[in-house]
């Protein structure tokens, strides 16, 4: 029986309406399980390194191996996503990840695990993750109608922080407390295996555009595909302006949030580890709430302007963090940052899926992913030294006040209001109502075809 879209029930409206489609339920199920496995892996990895006698330097080596793997493959992952059906890529990546983590779990359970083996597996996981995001981004528009992409992106951005930062670590802590880090690694492998099951059950989803014969294969074809992706970005003002603005945003903001926030809590607000956890929780809850609300709404008419302006305004509360002397004030500020920072990510993901040509979506998504990865470690590397020179408070004030100025510049220089008026994304079309199909009965066949009825 072939699956089609059905009229959504009251329970599957708003941000949940994409779940009425079976293919999407299976896809988001596989993604949710992969994110849950990643959350368990992060905690299990820390305690497994400690059990092996390692400390922060050893853990840093393992984490760096994963980051190197992602950066090394993310651009190539976009090329692959435009040439190979995304479901095939996700199956291959999840399969390799499951085997690698399963081997580590067995080694840990038998007492044969060594640190270098963890480094190798972390590198393998990073390499695989470099293929995952472009493949998922290119696959989603082939599974859902355009009107559901906004809700799907909102649902995903809501799910990721709650599952990866809350459910995953909670499950890992429970298993480690009851047994050992090795048992938690075995749980990671089991969860990944369940994700493979979701992908196997999914029907084949072909590429939205067939690969032209003249595109060819081999190294030259890959280089040409990468060049075409960069060329499209350079010749598309709204895309280039947004990526440049986002790069500066990551450079200015991520370092203070990731590196300096604990010192604000400890040295300025007088809090401890518990207070730091509350602050991080407020940021995650705010992000989930912002994503959920944005996913419940239609695409704004001035989608580019709203997206960039919201990112700029999202940073302003960081100035409060820079001068705050009370933990509750920091909690409120980062909650607002989380809401306003994550909500436009939903618009951005939907925008790529609706305005980028299908044959380029994988490469453009990988460019977006690569830019974020490239500037994130740089931001974290310079945040500490900058704060030593100009002070903790001044660093947060700069992170809060410069992005709004850059947002206005991006909107005006790239003429984003004119672009969105020229290319409206209309969500007002009525939703299709199609019932599940069945094989025609003999009585349904026309009288002129008796041989078919027979």
């Amino acid at each position: 029986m072939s699956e089609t879209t059905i009229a959504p029930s009251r329970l599957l409206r708003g941000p949940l309406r994409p779940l009425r489609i079976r293919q999407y339920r299976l896809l988001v199920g596989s993604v949710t399980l992969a994110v849950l496995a990643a959350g368990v892996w992060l905690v299990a990895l820390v305690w497994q390194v400690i059990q092996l006698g390692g400390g922060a330097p050893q853990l840093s080596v393992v984490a760096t191996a994963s980051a190197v793997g992602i950066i090394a493959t993310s651009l190539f992952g976009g090329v692959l996503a435009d040439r190979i059906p995304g479901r095939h890529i996700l199956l291959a990546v999840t399969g390799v990840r499951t085997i690698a983590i399963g081997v580590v779990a067995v080694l840990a359970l038998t007492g044969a695990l060594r640190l270098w083996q963890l480094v190798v597996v972390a590198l393998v996981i990073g390499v695989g993750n470099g293929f995952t995001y472009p493949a998922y981004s290119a696959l989603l528009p082939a599974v859902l109608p355009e009107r559901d992409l906004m809700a799907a992106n909102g649902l995903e951005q809501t799910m990721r922080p709650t599952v990866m930062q809350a459910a995953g670590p909670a499950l890992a802590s429970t298993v480690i407390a009851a047994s050992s880090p090795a048992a938690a690694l075995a749980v990671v492998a089991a969860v990944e295996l369940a994700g493979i099951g979701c992908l196997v059950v999914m029907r084949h989803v072909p590429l939205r555009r067939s690969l032209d014969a003249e595109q060819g294969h081999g190294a030259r074809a890959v280089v040409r595909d990468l060049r075409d992706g960069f060329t499209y970005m350079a010749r598309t003002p709204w895309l280039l302006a947004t990526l440049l603005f986002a790069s500066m945003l990551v450079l200015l903001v991520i370092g203070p949030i990731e590196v300096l926030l604990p010192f604000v809590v400890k040295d300025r607000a007088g809090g401890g580890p518990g207070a730091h956890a509350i602050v991080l929780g407020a940021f995650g809850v705010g992000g989930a709430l912002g994503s959920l609300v944005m996913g419940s709404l239609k695409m704004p008419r001035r989608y580019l302007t709203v997206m960039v302006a919201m990112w700029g305004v999202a940073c302003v509360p960081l100035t409060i963090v820079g001068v705050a002397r009370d933990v509750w004030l920091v909690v409120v500020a980062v909650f607002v940052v989380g809401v306003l920072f994550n909500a436009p990510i939903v618009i951005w993901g939907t925008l790529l899926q609706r305005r980028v040509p299908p044959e380029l979506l994988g490469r453009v998504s990988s460019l977006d992913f690569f830019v974020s990865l490239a500037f994130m470690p740089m931001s974290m590397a310079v945040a500490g030294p900058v704060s030593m020179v100009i002070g903790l408070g001044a660093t947060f004030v700069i992170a809060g006040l410069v992005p709004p100025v850059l947002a206005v510049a991006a909107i005006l220089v790239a003429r984003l209001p004119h672009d969105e008026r020229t290319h409206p994304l209309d969500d007002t079309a009525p939703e299709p109502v199609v019932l599940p199909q069945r094989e025609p009965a003999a009585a349904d066949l026309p009288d002129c075809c008796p041989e078919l009825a027979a």
Side-chain angles (χ1 to χ4, degrees), residues 162-183:
T162 53
V163 173
M164 187 168 182
Q165 298 173 11
L171 177 58
S173 300
T174 301
V175 174
I176 293 171
S179 181
S180 65

Side-chain angles (χ1 to χ4, degrees), residues 247-262:
S247 302
M248 294 299 99
L249 193 67
V250 169
L251 184 62
L252 287 165
V253 170
I254 296 300
I257 291 177
E258 294 289 338
V259 177
L260 303 181
L261 196 56

Side-chain angles (χ1 to χ4, degrees), residues 143-156:
V143 170
L144 288 176
E146 280 192 350
R147 65 176 295 114
D148 286 340
L149 290 175
M150 189 86 161
N153 287 310
L155 195 62
E156 182 203 347

